[in-house]
Amino acid sequence: MGRERAQRESWGTRFGFLMAAAGSAVGLGNIWRFPYLTGENGGSAFIIIYLICIAIVGLSIMIAEFAVGRRTSLSAVGAYKSQNRSWTFAGVLGVISGFFIMGFYPVVGGWSLAYMLKSVTGLLALPEATADVFGAFISAPIEPLIWTIIFMALNIAIVAKGVAGGIEKASKVLMPTLFVLLIIIIFEGVSLSGSGAGLTYLFKPDWSQVTGETVLAALGQSFFTLSLGMGCMLTYGSYLSKKENIPVSALAIVVMDTAVAIMSGLAIFPALFAFGMEPATGPGLVFVVVPAIFAQMGNVGPVISLLFFAALTVAALTSSMSLLEVVVAYLIDEKEMDRKHATYLSSLVITIMCVFSSLSMGQMSGIKLFGVGFFDFFDILTDKIFLAIGGMLLTIFVGWFMKKEDLKNELTNDGTVAFGFFEVWYNLVKYVIPVVIAVVAVMGIAAVEQRNLMLFGLFMIILLGVFSKKL
Ligand code: PHE
């Protein structure tokens, strides 16, 4: 196998690893998806459930993924396979999730790139028209496709360069920029008159809106936003040095990710209420509300808007790189391809999927798979089912198929660093989390609109499981 031939790549520095892992976590999930999910699910109550999912399930699974990755020094499929062949399917499910997320993610990345240019070419001239502008843009046949392709080209250029030279180097500059920009936007939004209602919406829970679907949405989002349940953090862990403190790193990444999500909420909702817009606007939310804020800012508006969409693009890029890396690492480790060929081949397939997703917003909106268009097909299948089930499989694998001693050694660097919560973590992973995910999944699937799509997803997973040894 490839791993015996060549020395495995690794991160250059601790800061570089943290920025790359945080870069993977912080992405469209935080700035684009978190606000609109909050808007669709009634605000504060959703946020509270989401925070509980992050603290209990998300953090534990991130620690588990890093531990498995570093212990095996292999990417998703190889890591499972090396321990137990019957588990190969869980790794393959991860690679499929990565592929499917990449089937729509770069489309949104392309929108963001396009909005950089639009910021300075008249988008902000008519604040009341931002919704129409967005609708017309994403449903056009050619323009969004061109931007998606440019976005993919950036991914290819970085991932082909490898772990330390590409992914790590880019993340170290791009991530801090994002933080600064968000802070500027929050100040602008909160200072608008009428913004107080947005703060109430964000921080005062209305529990009457909560259903099984809300909880599944919050759980799915906690996986998506932390890049969990598909072997991404596992793969990043496989490039991690034995000296790194896994629990502390995981905590730092979770805190950064959560901070950006809450900051995005603060950037959007106060302004949204100040402008009298609707919270449940769906996927167009950032692209509609944020430009409207900038339009109020006079001459500096276009510049700040350009910077904001640049930061969003960057956040999207550091995440999509990591998604692409899961697929690429699989081809390198398991199919013995070299990095460049693996990157080109997977990107070609991904770009074709994105063409369908993008066209499903307009030209091809009539074509439905299980009642939804291509974009939603990839999005719902991964976010609402594959990631959560992938996370559940990982916890079962770690809790029941790995040795407790090995895990303890991995998480304490052979006893050289302390991990006081080891027992708590272990019991959560072994008993609590698998049950919680199973219950939420059943409740959620029962409540969700696209039930056939969900059942199809479950069927795919079962099929993979049955043929696991052949994979
Ligand atoms: N965490 C990323 C985001 O929030 C998306 C992602 C999911 C990246 C899964 C890698 C793996 O945008």
Side-chain angles (χ1 to χ4, degrees):
M1 257 189 245
R3 66 179 180 281
E4 275 136 28
R5 283 199 318 259
Q7 166 93 46
R8 192 168 185 76
E9 295 178 73
S10 65
W11 302 110
T13 61
R14 162 149 220 251
F15 180 68
F17 155 69
L18 280 178
M19 287 298 109
S24 167
V26 175
L28 295 172
N30 306 61
I31 306 171
W32 164 71
R33 194 204 290 267
F34 174 76
Y36 89 72
L37 279 181
T38 304
E40 282 177 344
N41 288 288
S44 182
F46 171 80
I47 299 184
I48 293 171
I49 299 171
Y50 164 81
L51 290 176
I52 296 172
C53 292
I54 293 275
I56 297 177
V57 181
L59 179 60
S60 305
I61 294 189
M62 187 174 294
I63 294 174
E65 286 206 19
F66 284 152
V68 175
R70 188 169 74 175
R71 173 122 209 119
T72 57
S73 289
L74 287 168
S75 55
V77 176
Y80 279 109
K81 200 195 250 174
S82 69
Q83 308 288 310
N84 189 327
R85 267 202 88 92
S86 313
W87 278 85
T88 311
F89 81 102
V92 173
L93 175 66
V95 176
I96 294 176
S97 305
F99 240 120
F100 278 17
I101 297 176
M102 282 303 269
F104 72 92
Y105 205 93
V107 174
V108 184
W111 297 347
S112 177
L113 261 180
Y115 266 59
M116 286 171 65
L117 181 68
K118 291 183 190 294
S119 299
V120 287
T121 55
L123 168 71
L124 308 183
L126 290 169
E128 57 296 338
T130 53
D132 296 338
V133 171
F134 179 70
F137 165 61
I138 62 165
S139 57
I142 304 291
E143 197 192 343
L145 279 186
I146 295 175
W147 292 106
T148 301
I149 291 171
I150 301 176
F151 184 80
M152 275 310 294
L154 295 172
N155 274 284
I156 297 170
I158 297 173
V159 174
K161 280 210 166 74
V163 174
I167 298 178
E168 180 172 345
K169 217 174 179 171
S171 311
K172 274 199 287 203
V173 191
L174 299 177
M175 289 306 297
T177 316
L178 176 71
F179 262 100
V180 175
L181 284 170
L182 272 176
I183 292 170
I184 299 176
I185 299 166
I186 293 172
F187 276 109
E188 286 296 331
V190 174
S191 59
L192 293 167
S193 80
S195 62
L199 296 174
T200 312
Y201 184 78
L202 280 177
F203 298 114
K204 215 167 145 240
D206 170 6
W207 295 104
S208 67
Q209 305 241 8
V210 174
T211 64
E213 196 177 356
T214 321
V215 183
L216 183 65
L219 184 73
Q221 171 65 6
S222 65
F223 278 98
F224 187 85
T225 190
L226 294 173
S227 309
L228 298 174
M230 49 142 314
C232 178
M233 289 303 180
L234 190 156
T235 303
Y236 273 25
S238 75
Y239 307 131
L240 193 56
S241 102
K242 292 284 178 200
K243 289 197 285 292
E244 229 48 86
N245 185 329
I246 290 180
V248 171
S249 305
L251 182 65
I253 295 159
V254 168
V255 168
M256 277 189 261
D257 186 81
T258 309
V260 175
I262 301 292
M263 283 164 77
S264 305
L266 282 171
I268 289 180
F269 287 101
L272 178 136
F273 280 89
F275 297 146
M277 291 171 166
E278 216 354 82
T281 307
L285 190 60
V286 220
F287 293 96
V288 174
V289 178
V290 174
I293 305 177
F294 296 133
Q296 317 280 317
M297 292 167 59
N299 285 341
V300 294
V303 181
I304 307 239
S305 177
L306 171 73
L307 288 175
F308 173 77
F309 286 107
L312 182 60
T313 305
V314 160
L317 196 58
T318 50
S319 301
S320 57
M321 268 154 30
S322 71
L323 285 156
L324 184 56
E325 178 64 18
V326 171
V327 182
V328 168
Y330 163 73
L331 295 174
I332 296 175
D333 284 351
E334 299 301 315
K335 301 289 167 210
E336 309 200 358
M337 276 195 193
D338 67 61
R339 178 170 279 278
K340 287 215 160 53
H341 283 103
T343 311
Y344 299 148
L345 178 70
S346 40
S347 301
L348 181 70
V349 180
I350 285 169
T351 308
I352 295 171
M353 291 161 52
C354 286
V355 169
F356 283 99
S357 287
S358 181
L359 291 176
S360 74
M361 296 285 163
Q363 295 312 86
M364 288 172 48
S365 60
I367 303 180
K368 303 281 183 211
L369 307 162
F370 297 95
V372 298
F374 287 101
F375 186 108
D376 290 341
F377 176 81
F378 294 132
D379 179 355
I380 296 171
L381 210 50
T382 47
D383 182 49
K384 290 231 169 85
I385 184 117
F386 282 4
L387 298 185
I389 301 286
M392 180 173 92
L393 291 173
L394 181 95
T395 53
I396 297 174
F397 176 73
V398 168
W400 299 87
F401 292 82
M402 285 179 77
K403 288 205 198 77
K404 190 172 177 186
E405 259 326 287
D406 289 350
L407 290 165
K408 184 148 198 183
N409 287 335
E410 199 56 49
L411 292 176
T412 59
N413 299 354
D414 292 324
T416 55
V417 297
F419 178 30
F421 292 104
F422 178 80
E423 287 297 329
V424 178
W425 170 81
Y426 187 74
N427 287 305
L428 278 175
V429 166
K430 185 164 182 159
Y431 303 106
V432 181
I433 296 176
V435 177
V436 169
I437 295 179
V439 171
V440 173
V442 170
M443 273 171 24
I445 292 171
V448 93
E449 246 173 80
Q450 307 84 2
R451 191 161 324 139
N452 289 344
L453 179 56
M454 299 288 162
L455 294 176
F456 165 72
L458 281 180
F459 179 68
M460 262 181 85
I461 298 174
I462 294 170
L463 216 58
L464 281 175
V466 171
F467 291 107
S468 195
K469 291 216 169 97
K470 297 211 164 54
L471 295 169

